[in-house]
C-alpha cells in the first residue's frame, strides 16, 4: 500500500517539547523543559469526591451529552468568570478538550489557507503548530516586557491585513510577561478599528504572584460578548488538573456557534465524566483557596529559581522576573546556540526548551524556557549545576 | 466587529439528528430518532469502581498524558482485538475522543480539498459532515443487503480515482447491514489493487444478534497492520458508555503516527481519567458477559420493533431485519417524503430520522431510520401508534 497523505501533514511536526519529554522518559534527567503543573498540588481527594457525587446521580450520567458542553458546568464557569469581571451566559461558551482544542476550532472556522495571523515574539509553540496545520501565514509582532509594541502592531496590520491576532497577555508562555493595561486597551482598540479578531489565550491568569490586583483580560475590556472583537479561552489544567482535559472558549454567540459545529464534526463532545466532575468540584470544593495555595507554592519555586539564576555568571545572561505563570525566559550571549547546548545539557542530565521553538519567524537562537513548577528546590539546584557544566563545556568550544 | 469566517463554515451544518434531539428535549415526544444506547445497561457500578481504582494510584493520575493514549489501555485494547483475530501492538494504535475523532483525524491527514471519498448509500451522516468539512468530494457506491456492489465499486474507483473509501460493514448505521465475507474480501482486494485506503468504522460490531459466528473485519482479512490498506476504528460508547468518549484507531504505524501528530495539534490528548478507568474496567470487570447482556437485550427490543413493523400496512413498507446494531432502516412508498412526514410525526409526539440525512448524493426521500435500543416496548408501541397516525394524515394529503 502506497499511502497518499494530504499536503497538510508536513505541518504536523511533533512538538519539540514533547520529543524532549520522550527523550527524558525513564532517564534520571532533571527536566526544566515541560509545562507540567506540580502533582503535589493536585486536589485529588476533592476530585475523587466530585466523581463519586457524579455517580450518585444515576446511570444517565454515562449517556451522550451536548456538543456545547454540560450546561451546569457552563453555568459554573460563567459564575467563575464573574470574578474576573467577565459577564457571559451559557450560549456565549463552548466546553473544549483543553484550551488547545479551542485554538484549533477557532482556527478551523476562521482561517483559510494563506490567511495571516499575528503573534507575539516569542509565542506559545503549540499555537504555532495549530496555525501552520491550517496553512495560515504567521507573522510576529515586536514587543517588550509590557506587551506588544502597538506601533509595530498597527503597522503589521496595515501591511498584512491579518484576520486574527493570537496573544497570551497574562503570564505568557514562554516569556512570563504580564501586559500593561495600556497595551491591552491599545491592542483592543487597534484590532476593533481594523476588524481583526483577538484570540486571547489565558491558561495561567490565575497563577499571579505578588498578591497585587489582577489585570483585566482584553475580553473584559471589550465589555460584552455580543459582537466582541475577542475570543477568550482558558482551562482547568493549571488550576485543577490536566488529566481532566477541560477548557472553555467564550465569545460572540455566532463565533461560539460556528466553533460548536466544528466540534460536532471533530469529536461530538468532550468527556462528560470530567465535565460533570468539574461542576461538582465548583459546588463542593473551595477552588479559590486551592488556587491561592498553588499560586503561593509556585511563587516560592519561582523565587528559588530566581535566586539560582542570580548566582550564575553565564555570559550575557538576561531575564525578567515573571509576574505569574510557570516559566522563566532567559537569554544568553549571542554565540550560545541553545539548540546545540541542549545536547550537552541532556548529556549532563538536565533538559530545557530551546528558545527557537517559540518563534514563528526570525528566531532567537540564544534563549531558553525554564519551568519552575515541576521540580523541588534540591532538584532545581542540581539541575542548575548540570546546566552550568553544559554551558561551561559549550563556552570552551565557541 | 464584522467576523470574517473561513470558507469551510458552510460545510459545518448542524446534524439533523442533533437538531431533532433539541426539538424533542423536555417534550413528551417518543424519540426513535437518536442513536443512544440504553442507560439501563450502563455498568455504572463497575465504572465507578474503575474510577476509584484509578484514584488509588495517587496524584500522578491527574497529570498530562501521551498524545498516543494511556499505554496500559492500548495494551488492553490490543488484547481485546485479539478476540477478533486482529493482532496489533501499541504503536499501531491511537486513542481518540470517540471514533468520531478517528474519522476526523484520518481525514485531516489524508484528504486534500477536492479529493474523492467513496461511501455506502446510505451511510453514517456524521461521516458525511466530517468529509464535507474537509472539502472532500463524496461519491456513493451502490449496494444491497450483502454490502457494496463490487462492480460499481471498481467502476467508481476507475472513474473517480478516490483516495479513500469509508465503510461500516458490520451492522451499518443506518441500514443495519452485515456485509458478506465475499464482499469484505472483494472490497479489500479491489482497494489494495487500486491503492485506495479503506476506513473501516466498527462501532456496532459487538452488538451481534442470533448468536452466530462473527464475520471478520476487513482489517483482519488484511492480516498485518504494517502496510495495511485498512484503518480500523471502534469505540467504547456502545459496549460501555458514551460519556467516557473513548475510541481507538488501529492501522499502519505510519498512518497512526501522522494521525497522532494531527491529534497533538487538535487537543494534545483525550481525557486520561476516562482512559485509565477503562483500563481498570478491562482488568476487573467481565466486559464480555456485559456485552452478551447488552446484545441479548437489544435483540429483544429489535424483535419487538420487528413485530410492530409486521403489524403495519403502510404503503410500500419494506425493511430487512438487522443482524445487529441499533437501527432498523425502513422504506415507504415513493410518494411519502419522510422529511415532510417528520413534521407531522413531531406534532403527534414521535420522532425518527428522515432517510435523506444519510445520503451524500441522490437521496432516498421515502426512507427513515428507527432506533430500537432506547425505548421500552410500551413506548415503542405508543411511538408506532403515533407514527401510524402521522402517516395516515400524510396519505390524506398526497
Amino acid at each position: 500500500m502506497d499511502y497518499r497523505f494530504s499536503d497538510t501533514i508536513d505541518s504536523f511536526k511533533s512538538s519539540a517539547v514533547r520529543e524532549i519529554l520522550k527523550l527524558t522518559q525513564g532517564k534520571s534527567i532533571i527536566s526544566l523543559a515541560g509545562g507540567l503543573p506540580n502533582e503535589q498540588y493536585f486536589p485529588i481527594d476533592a476530585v475523587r469526591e466530585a466523581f463519586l457525587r457524579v455517580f450518585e446521580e444515576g446511570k444517565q450520567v454515562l449517556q451522550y451529552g451536548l456538543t456545547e458542553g454540560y450546561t451546569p458546568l457552563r453555568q459554573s464557569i460563567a459564575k467563575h468568570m464573574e470574578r474576573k469581571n467577565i459577564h457571559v451566559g451559557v450560549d456565549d461558551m463552548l466546553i473544549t478538550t483543553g484550551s488547545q482544542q479551542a485554538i484549533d476550532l477557532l482556527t478551523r472556522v476562521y482561517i483559510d489557507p494563506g490567511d495571516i495571523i499575528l503573534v507575539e515574539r516569542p509565542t506559545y509553540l503549540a499555537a504555532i503548530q495549530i496555525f501552520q496545520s491550517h496553512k495560515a501565514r504567521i507573522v510576529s509582532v515586536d514587543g517588550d516586557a509590557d506587551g506588544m509594541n502597538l506601533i509595530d502592531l498597527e503597522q503589521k496590520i496595515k501591511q498584512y491585513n491579518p484576520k486574527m491576532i493570537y496573544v497570551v497577555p497574562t503570564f505568557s508562555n514562554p516569556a512570563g510577561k504580564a501586559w500593561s493595561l495600556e497595551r491591552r486597551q491599545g491592542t483592543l482598540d487597534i484590532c476593533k478599528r481594523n476588524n481583526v479578531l483577538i484570540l486571547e489565550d489565558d491558561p495561567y491568569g490565575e497563577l499571579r504572584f505578588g498578591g497585587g490586583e489582577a489585570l483585566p483580560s482584553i475580553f473584559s475590556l471589550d465589555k460584552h460578548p455580543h459582537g466582541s472583537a475577542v475570543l477568550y479561552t482558558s482551562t482547568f489544567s493549571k488550576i485543577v488538573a490536566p488529566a481532566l482535559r477541560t477548557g472553555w472558549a467564550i465569545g460572540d454567540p455566532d463565533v461560539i456557534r460556528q466553533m460548536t459545529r466544528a466540534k460536532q464534526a471533530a469529536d461530538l463532545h468532550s468527556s462528560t465524566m470530567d465535565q460533570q466532575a468539574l461542576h461538582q468540584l465548583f459546588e463542593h470544593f473551595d477552588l479559590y483557596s486551592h488556587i491561592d495555595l498553588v499560586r503561593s507554592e509556585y511563587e516560592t519555586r519561582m523565587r528559588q529559581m530566581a535566586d539560582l539564576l542570580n548566582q550564575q555568571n553565564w555570559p550575557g545572561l538576561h531575564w525578567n522576573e515573571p509576574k505569574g505563570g510557570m516559566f522563566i525566559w532567559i537569554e544568553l550571549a549571542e554565540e550560545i546556540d541553545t539548540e546545540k547546548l541542549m545536547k550537552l545539557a541532556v548529556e549532563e542530565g538536565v533538559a530545557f526548551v530551546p528558545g527557537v521553538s517559540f518563534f514563528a519567524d526570525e528566531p532567537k537562537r540564544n534563549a531558553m524556557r525554564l519551568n519552575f513548577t515541576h521540580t523541588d528546590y534540591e532538584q532545581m539546584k542540581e539541575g542548575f549545576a548540570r546546566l552550568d557544566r553544559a554551558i561551561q563545556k559549550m563556552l570552551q568550544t565557541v
Side-chain angles (χ1 to χ4, degrees), chain A:
Chain A
M1 184 76 187
D2 178 24
Y3 300 112
R4 295 185 273 170
F5 290 106
S6 75
D7 289 345
T8 37
I9 65 154
D10 297 333
S11 60
F12 291 119
K13 288 173 209 126
S14 196
S15 134
V17 180
R18 292 182 77 81
E19 290 307 313
I20 292 164
L21 286 177
K22 273 192 192 165
L23 263 183
T24 60
Q25 252 179 9
K27 288 187 192 158
S28 65
I29 283 178
I30 294 172
S31 180
L32 308 172
L36 303 183
N38 198 307
E39 292 91 357
Q40 211 176 314
Y41 310 114
F42 290 158
I44 190 164
D45 293 333
V47 173
R48 183 177 173 279
E49 284 305 309
F51 272 93
L52 287 177
R53 282 178 201 278
V54 173
F55 286 114
E56 275 164 28
E57 298 200 354
K59 291 181 171 180
Q60 78 282 359
V61 302
L62 292 172
Q63 191 54 281
Y64 281 108
L66 293 175
T67 302
E68 293 83 348
Y70 181 58
T71 306
L73 177 63
R74 282 184 287 152
Q75 286 161 343
S76 295
I77 294 173
K79 234 169 94 185
H80 170 60
M81 294 276 82
E82 294 279 344
R83 296 171 68 105
K84 296 167 165 288
N85 206 24
I86 289 177
H87 311 286
V88 290
V90 295
D91 293 335
D92 314 317
M93 190 186 308
L94 170 66
I95 304 291
T96 54
T97 304
S99 49
Q100 175 101 357
Q101 190 184 39
I103 303 172
D104 186 59
L105 292 175
L106 181 65
T107 310
R108 200 158 163 168
V109 301
Y110 212 75
I111 297 298
D112 289 305
D115 281 346
I116 305 225
I117 301 174
L118 300 185
V119 301
E120 294 170 85
R121 171 187 293 139
T123 190
Y124 176 47
L125 63 88
I128 299 178
Q129 288 183 305
I130 295 170
F131 300 150
Q132 284 173 341
S133 81
H134 292 282
K135 300 188 176 181
R137 241 185 95 196
I138 309 172
V139 175
S140 301
V141 178
D142 292 332
D144 55 28
D146 285 332
M148 263 189 183
N149 178 320
L150 297 181
I151 295 166
D152 194 46
L153 172 62
E154 188 134 35
Q155 191 266 318
K156 292 220 162 104
I157 287 176
K158 295 233 176 319
Q159 183 177 352
Y160 293 104
N161 185 25
K163 260 192 184 172
M164 189 163 101
I165 164 175
Y166 170 78
V167 294
V168 189
T170 311
F171 322 132
S172 60
N173 173 0
K177 282 181 201 176
W179 288 26
S180 69
L181 180 59
E182 179 231 336
R183 299 291 177 89
R184 289 166 195 255
Q185 187 66 55
T187 298
L188 177 63
D189 295 342
I190 292 168
C191 286
K192 275 181 98 94
R193 211 157 52 225
N194 292 282
N195 213 40
V196 178
L197 186 67
I198 301 170
L199 172 49
E200 180 178 24
D201 189 8
D202 187 27
Y204 308 109
E206 302 282 355
L207 304 177
R208 191 175 67 255
F209 304 153
E213 268 295 285
L215 280 164
S217 64
I218 301 178
F219 184 86
S220 71
L221 294 175
D222 203 19
K223 302 279 189 301
H224 197 279
H226 284 265
S228 176
V230 188
L231 191 287
Y232 172 99
T233 177
S234 189
T235 172
F236 292 105
S237 292
K238 276 76 186 183
I239 57 174
V240 180
L244 302 167
R245 299 302 299 130
T246 305
W248 63 93
I250 56 182
D252 178 85
D254 247 6
V255 178
I256 293 294
R257 198 174 309 123
Q258 297 298 349
M259 290 173 68
T260 304
R261 287 175 180 181
K263 182 167 171 64
Q264 192 177 296
D267 63 10
L268 212 54
H269 63 79
S270 298
S271 165
T272 36
M273 291 312 300
D274 295 338
Q275 292 183 60
Q276 292 173 99
L278 283 164
H279 169 65
Q280 292 296 341
L281 206 72
F282 268 117
E283 294 285 300
H284 299 280
F285 175 62
D286 186 352
L287 182 60
Y288 301 103
S289 297
H290 175 71
I291 290 172
D292 281 342
L293 167 77
V294 174
R295 189 167 18 209
S296 131
E297 294 291 339
Y298 284 1
E299 181 167 0
T300 302
R301 281 157 198 263
M302 184 277 287
R303 298 215 175 280
Q304 288 168 340
M305 186 172 275
D307 283 348
L308 288 169
L309 276 168
N310 284 328
Q311 293 163 32
Q312 311 306 321
N313 54 3
W314 299 333
L317 175 61
H318 174 82
W319 58 284
N320 292 314
E321 191 176 284
K323 294 173 180 153
M326 296 170 51
F327 308 106
I328 299 183
W329 176 253
I330 76 171
E331 291 180 22
L332 296 165
E334 290 274 339
E335 67 268 25
I336 302 182
D337 182 326
T338 53
E339 268 194 310
K340 289 181 187 155
L341 177 62
M342 180 68 184
K343 284 177 198 122
L344 297 171
V346 169
E347 279 169 28
E348 293 291 338
V350 64
F352 58 83
V353 185
V356 64
S357 310
F358 301 96
F359 293 87
D361 48 25
E362 302 171 41
K364 270 209 167 91
R365 306 212 154 271
N366 54 328
M368 66 173 80
R369 189 191 77 176
L370 298 175
N371 166 268
F372 52 77
T373 60
H374 198 250
T375 40
D376 60 29
Y377 187 50
E378 287 310 307
Q379 283 178 302
M380 210 187 265
K381 264 203 300 201
E382 177 58 25
F384 265 70
R386 294 177 184 183
L387 185 55
D388 184 54
R389 285 202 294 277
I391 290 176
Q392 300 311 330
K393 261 196 197 168
M394 181 142 192
L395 289 174
Q396 287 162 16
T397 64
V398 288

